[in-house]
Amino acid sequence: MLTLHALPARLADLGGGLTVHRALPQRERRMVGPWCFLDHMGPVASVGDHALNVAPHPHIGLQTVTWMVEGEVLHRDSLGNAQLIRPGQLSLMTAGRGIAHSEESQSTTGRLHGVQLWTALPDAQRDVAPAFDHHPSLPVQSFGEVRATILMGSLGGALSPAKSYSPIVGAELLATRDGKAELPLDPAFEHALLPLAGTASIDGTTLVIDTLYDLGQGRDRLGLDVSAGARLMLIGGAPFGEAILMWWNFVARTHDEIASARADWESHRRFPPVPGYPGERLTAPPLLGHLMPPA
Ligand code: MN
């Protein structure tokens, strides 16, 4: 029997009054392939208390994957990039040894709906130079009544142009009509699904929005029953095979690396300023105790 574990997301406060559903990491499922973090924002009216406004903050050892369904977010980073992220466009930031960025929803848009995911960089590549890439157009492949946009890696022979560092798949699935879809999966990968909107089911199990469905490893296909408008994120990859340590916005391996990145941020080393952000940057939280990778 193939795995289908339901893992409800928890609420997390992004500051500025915006609450999101955090589907990864979870105690029972820390990673899915290299994917180590998955936030679902909205859908909400992006006004007043519910605007996204994350002041400059640092990252190391990861890639951020930002994908909007509704609304626009302005990304600025310490490399000097300022990029408006629109629905249907992939924003990919590779932190490598260190980058800082800010994220602001734009007040001209009335709604905010999107996801932000992180992938952990493998040990051999986690000190790469920081980079930011914007992909305004991505491959789309139809499987039955589902239209898949391939954000990262490949699915059914369609390959994303986005740079990834380990075997991976990340795709948005959108049902264009009521019906069925069958997607080919790599059985060497582990996979998970996060429903964002609408109605979909697997083998008679109706999927709940903001619950992460752990599909396990070994599946070579995914059969879905969908209603028009259903939208889901499919993530997967080869089991990562390295124990990572996540703290605040850092992905590392040891306490000392985290402590050093935190100290560098607090002393204005390693992470240059983010040009153009109209406000103060974030302060790192206190680092209490000795961090250990989860067992
Ligand atoms: Mn960030």
Side-chain angles (χ1 to χ4, degrees), residues 236-291:
F240 194 63
E242 296 175 31
I244 64 167
L245 192 54
M246 287 177 66
W247 182 84
W248 195 36
N249 300 303
F250 303 143
V251 172
R253 300 293 182 276
T254 67
H255 174 93
D256 288 352
E257 282 173 41
I258 300 268
S260 151
R262 183 189 182 282
D264 284 349
W265 175 250
E266 291 301 296
S267 359
H268 299 260
R269 293 189 302 260
R270 187 186 327 193
F271 307 97
V274 175
Y277 180 78
E280 297 298 310
R281 60 185 215 151
L282 294 184
T283 299
L287 182 51
L288 305 169
H290 190 86
L291 302 174

Side-chain angles (χ1 to χ4, degrees), residues 19-259:
T19 299
V20 300
H21 284 93
R22 184 154 297 160
L24 271 180
Q26 300 207 22
R27 204 175 304 273
E28 291 180 57
R29 176 49 89 175
R30 300 251 169 217
M31 299 180 81
V32 178
W35 300 104
C36 60
F37 181 92
L38 169 48
D39 267 2
H40 180 204
M41 298 179 273
V44 292
S46 173
V47 289
D49 288 351
H50 298 292
L52 175 72
N53 187 352
V54 186
H57 59 278
H59 286 284
I60 63 167
L62 56 82
Q63 290 181 296
T64 67
V65 170
T66 307
W67 176 255
M68 301 307 295
V69 175
E70 291 181 279
E72 297 177 346
V73 168
L74 178 61
H75 158 99
R76 301 183 208 260
D77 65 44
S78 51
L79 300 173
N81 297 293
Q83 176 68 52
L84 193 59
I85 306 169
R86 295 194 169 91
Q89 304 183 342
L90 172 69
S91 167
L92 176 67
M93 185 178 77
T94 303
R97 71 177 81 97
I99 196 168
H101 75 146
S102 61
E103 297 153 288
E104 303 158 79
S105 53
Q106 300 301 285
S107 57
T108 50
T109 61
R111 301 265 295 171
L112 185 65
H113 189 197
V115 289
Q116 187 177 82
L117 306 98
W118 300 354
T119 72
L121 292 171
D123 193 50
Q125 280 99 29
R126 61 199 182 90
D127 288 327
V128 294
F132 177 78
D133 298 292
H134 187 70
H135 296 280
S137 109
L138 293 167
V140 172
Q141 183 108 330
S142 286
F143 303 97
E145 307 305 345
V146 158
R147 217 177 68 116
T149 305
I150 294 88
L151 279 57
M152 296 287 281
S154 66
L155 183 67
L159 178 67
S160 165
K163 169 95 175 147
S164 55
Y165 287 85
S166 55
I168 192 170
V169 62
E172 186 209 58
L173 312 181
L174 176 63
T176 49
R177 289 190 299 186
D178 293 358
K180 291 181 181 298
E182 182 165 302
L183 290 81
L185 299 181
D186 184 338
F189 282 11
E190 47 196 22
H191 292 93
L193 266 179
L194 182 71
L196 304 181
T199 306
S201 62
I202 298 178
D203 301 332
T205 300
T206 300
L207 304 181
V208 177
I209 289 168
D210 288 324
T211 288
L212 185 75
Y213 291 89
D214 180 358
L215 302 172
Q217 199 180 358
R219 283 180 185 261
D220 59 8
R221 58 172 285 279
L222 172 63
L224 290 170
D225 288 282
V226 291
S227 297
R231 196 183 292 270
L232 309 96
M233 293 302 300
L234 171 69
I235 58 172
F240 194 63
E242 296 175 31
I244 64 167
L245 192 54
M246 287 177 66
W247 182 84
W248 195 36
N249 300 303
F250 303 143
V251 172
R253 300 293 182 276
T254 67
H255 174 93
D256 288 352
E257 282 173 41
I258 300 268

